Amino acid sequence: MKFRPGALAPPLVAGVLFLGAWELTVRGFGIREFLLPKPSSIWEQLVDQWPTLRHAGWETGRIAVSGLVVGILAGVLLAVGATRFRTLQEGLTPLAVAVNATPIIALAPIFNAWFGITGSLSNQAVVVAVVFFPVFINTAKGLTEVHPDEIELMRSYAAGEWTILREVRIPNALPFFANALRLVAPLSVIAAIVAEYFGGPQDRIGNVITSNAGFARYDAAWAAIAVASAVGLALFATALLVERLSMPWRLTEGYGETEN
Amino acid sequence: MSVAVVASGLDKVFGRGTDAEVAALSGIDLMVQDGEFVSLIGPSGCGKSTLLRLVADLIEPTGGTVTVFDKSAHQARLDQDYGMVFQHAGLFDWRRVAANIELPLELKGWSKADRSRRSREMLDLVKLPDFSRHYPRQLSGGMQQRVSIARALSFEPRLLLMDEPFGALDEMTREHMQGELLRIWRETGTTVMFVTHSIPEAAFLSNRVVVLSPRPGRIHTIVDVDLGERTEETREDPEFFAAATRIREALRAVEDGS
Ligand SMILES: Nc1ncnc2c1ncn2[C@@H]1O[C@H](COP(=O)(O)OP(=O)(O)OP(=O)(O)O)[C@@H](O)[C@H]1O
Ligand SMILES: [Mg+2]
């Protein structure tokens, strides 16, 4: 299945209709702007404040992406390690599952105390912590939940553990990893912004939202939210692209097994 | 004539000491000559797959020994002396058909050119020449099974362990594959241990048919089949029907528990 530009048409039409309905509702019912600004007012703010917003989007995006990369690398490496060394697996996996069930994002203020409130490090650490667990858990699951017949086949070729890892476990884990990626790509932006609500440099999306909201400039806050959504969507689209490119054999299929 | 496989006093108990304990095989003594074609037949669950997996050193016996080409089964596995066709095709989704066939060759370090030449030959053999670039999911169950047969034959192992390889095939393809398997067997002098549920198939292919009885799996009878050179005419030969009848009678006796 090749990518068809035509596939973009329905969501685009739906998006335009949605914005149109929004605009008409706000105008028609005279909803006050501080409750829900019109898309046209948000757009004006977006144009007006573009240099600030672009900078903020870039900075927040940078934090999200760097946290994402570090979290993914750590999650994948530890998952491979956990698969190769059983004791690591037995110790780590239940712990990771338990931690993943807690609201890690609530640690943001504590991370500020640990990593400092002035730089980006604390916010990045929050993103890493949020990204790491789903990636680790899903990848580890994909690496271990291999059909026993496939392992027997490899053993019949006298293949060792590393060969089995390369030829069976890693390809088997790719769909699981892709699921995690689809989950954590937008999550990284959420984590970055929520972390920014709790402190850090003032030129980020999270701070732009809180300060504008604080001065009742809701249209400007919404403009910042729009920028954040664009960053999240871009990361999500990248995750989908990675998924397609890495698993050509699954192109004819819908989304596979879902975790989390 | 040298010996390919010797099983002596072979026992296999699964889950020993648990309440799910199953005595899968008990006291199996079997000698398979080099170049022989031996079939295993018996009711479902009587331990046919278990016996093949013991010979393949994929599981350990709980008693007795297996030797393969005068080595331990373990050493034979490390030397890749056998090729196995599993009861389930077991192709890798992420490899195209040709790449699945080439997997054992890749692990043996064959060059790319040799590998693709061989996988083409094998695909012709199993009558799937146009499917080399497909993914397994795009194939029917029977087609997948043929790819898995091609994969096992690709490196011309001295011993072929085949677990109901033709079970998923239609009758005509099945007869074609039987003919091809016999041709390969004659040309390469390989030894075959072949699990089947089909009496005519066992009679047509084998030098000897081992009839197993269940719980625990034991060798009930060994039926010698002497049909000389098999051709398509053999399928209508009275000798062939006589052999099938002997196998059927042995199986009846097994079912009756005698
Ligand atoms: N890994 C295992 N763990 C526990 N029990 C097993 C295992 N493999 C096989 N068994 C048991 O051993 C017995 C023999 O199984 P086996 O698969 O060898 O039968 P089979 O003759 O190949 O049957 P079929 O014709 O249905 O393929 C069965 O009772 C089965 O439940
Ligand atoms: Mg079986």
Side-chain angles (χ1 to χ4, degrees):
Chain A
M1 194 173 74
K2 287 270 167 7
F3 175 73
R4 293 165 298 122
L8 277 180
L12 278 181
V13 170
V16 168
L17 285 178
F18 173 72
L19 288 178
W22 179 350
E23 181 83 28
L24 288 178
T25 312
V26 175
R27 282 174 191 267
F29 293 98
I31 295 174
R32 279 172 299 172
E33 289 268 321
F34 72 85
L35 286 178
L36 184 66
K38 299 189 294 287
S40 55
S41 325
I42 297 171
W43 176 254
E44 267 168 38
Q45 287 297 320
L46 201 60
V47 175
D48 259 19
Q49 316 248 342
W50 180 240
T52 316
L53 291 174
R54 195 196 53 188
H55 175 75
W58 175 256
E59 287 297 310
T60 299
R62 210 168 50 80
I63 288 171
V65 170
S66 59
L68 200 55
V69 168
V70 173
I72 289 170
L73 282 179
V76 168
L77 286 179
L78 250 92
V80 170
T83 316
R84 283 297 279 114
F85 306 103
R86 170 157 300 175
T87 40
L88 197 58
Q89 157 109 3
E90 282 165 0
L92 223 50
T93 308
L95 186 68
V97 171
V99 174
N100 193 43
T102 64
I104 298 173
I105 198 101
L107 290 174
I110 294 165
F111 276 39
N112 281 335
W114 288 352
F115 298 104
I117 200 157
T118 45
S120 307
L121 192 59
S122 167
N123 295 353
Q124 280 167 316
V126 172
V127 178
V128 171
V130 165
V131 166
F132 169 80
F133 290 97
V135 170
F136 171 77
I137 293 167
N138 279 278
T139 309
K141 194 172 158 78
L143 289 170
T144 43
E145 283 187 3
V146 174
H147 202 286
D149 289 358
E150 297 184 344
I151 302 290
E152 284 208 337
L153 178 73
M154 294 304 286
R155 296 219 309 128
S156 82
Y157 300 138
E161 271 303 318
W162 283 113
T163 311
I164 292 177
L165 181 69
R166 190 185 68 227
E167 296 294 340
V168 186
R169 293 189 190 280
I170 288 177
N172 190 67
L174 276 177
F176 293 80
F177 172 74
N179 280 330
L181 206 56
R182 256 190 275 124
L183 179 80
V184 297
L187 203 57
S188 69
V189 181
I190 299 174
I193 291 174
V194 174
E196 285 160 4
Y197 286 169
F198 292 101
Q202 292 304 300
D203 56 349
R204 309 280 162 76
I205 291 286
N207 310 107
V208 172
I209 294 172
T210 45
S211 58
N212 276 306
F215 289 108
R217 288 197 301 257
Y218 291 104
D219 43 4
W222 277 91
I225 292 170
V227 170
S229 310
V231 175
L233 270 176
L235 290 181
F236 183 66
T238 312
L240 290 187
L241 191 69
V242 168
E243 175 172 9
R244 287 184 162 232
L245 293 181
S246 64
M247 292 180 289
W249 67 91
R250 288 180 121 239
L251 283 192
T252 49
E253 296 249 317
Y255 291 158
E257 44 281 272
T258 316
E259 269 311 300
N260 265 284
Chain B
M1 216 185 208
S2 65
V3 179
V5 179
V6 182
S8 43
L10 208 53
D11 291 327
K12 180 66 193 180
V13 181
F14 285 108
R16 174 171 271 175
T18 69
D19 46 7
E21 184 171 301
V22 179
L25 287 175
S26 168
I28 300 290
D29 290 307
L30 181 65
M31 190 181 283
V32 178
Q33 302 296 327
D34 203 359
E36 202 179 8
F37 198 124
V38 171
S39 289
L40 307 174
I41 197 167
S44 180
C46 70
K48 304 179 293 296
S49 299
T50 303
L51 182 52
L52 282 199
R53 289 164 71 220
L54 284 167
V55 174
D57 183 47
L58 297 173
I59 50 177
E60 301 255 315
T62 40
T65 55
V66 193
T67 59
V68 178
F69 300 118
D70 299 322
K71 302 177 251 193
S72 67
H74 181 68
Q75 191 57 45
R77 175 168 72 79
L78 295 185
D79 294 346
Q80 297 181 53
D81 280 335
Y82 68 82
M84 184 146 180
V85 180
F86 289 85
Q87 199 163 352
H88 309 284
L91 301 177
F92 291 122
D93 280 348
W94 45 86
R95 285 177 165 258
R96 293 178 195 273
V97 162
N100 262 292
I101 295 174
E102 290 169 27
L103 173 64
L105 309 177
E106 233 175 279
L107 296 176
K108 279 173 172 275
W110 285 37
S111 76
K112 179 124 191 42
D114 288 347
R115 290 200 313 256
S116 51
R117 189 175 37 76
R118 176 54 61 85
S119 70
R120 271 198 305 279
E121 290 169 12
M122 287 296 133
L123 281 169
D124 284 341
L125 178 77
V126 296
K127 299 228 157 132
L128 293 170
D130 301 328
F131 288 88
S132 67
R133 301 281 299 156
H134 284 60
Y135 284 107
R137 290 191 178 195
Q138 299 169 304
L139 269 52
S140 75
M143 290 157 90
Q144 292 182 15
Q145 195 60 22
R146 279 184 276 160
V147 175
S148 113
I149 293 163
R151 177 177 62 187
L153 296 175
S154 66
F155 59 100
E156 295 184 346
R158 299 166 69 191
L159 172 64
L160 265 173
L161 304 173
M162 308 181 86
D163 198 346
E164 295 182 44
F166 303 152
L169 306 185
D170 67 87
E171 199 56 32
M172 290 322 288
T173 312
R174 189 175 182 136
E175 292 194 355
H176 164 75
M177 291 300 301
Q178 290 169 353
E180 287 298 316
L181 177 60
L182 283 180
R183 185 180 60 73
I184 291 164
W185 172 64
R186 269 194 304 269
E187 285 172 8
T188 61
T190 177
T191 308
V192 185
M193 286 181 79
F194 188 97
V195 172
T196 179
H197 280 291
S198 159
I199 294 169
E201 181 166 86
F204 183 69
L205 295 175
S206 325
N207 301 124
R208 284 191 296 156
V209 179
V210 178
V211 181
L212 293 161
S213 64
R215 267 167 294 272
R218 290 175 194 280
I219 295 181
H220 179 271
T221 332
I222 298 184
V223 178
D224 287 302
V225 183
D226 187 10
L227 299 176
E229 177 100 343
R230 270 74 160 175
T231 62
E232 286 308 305
E233 280 73 65
T234 309
R235 296 186 193 277
E236 280 145 31
D237 187 337
E239 285 292 327
F240 165 72
F241 291 112
T245 303
R246 288 203 303 279
I247 299 166
R248 185 171 293 112
E249 278 165 0
L251 274 171
R252 277 216 186 101
V254 164
E255 298 281 357
D256 296 343
S258 57

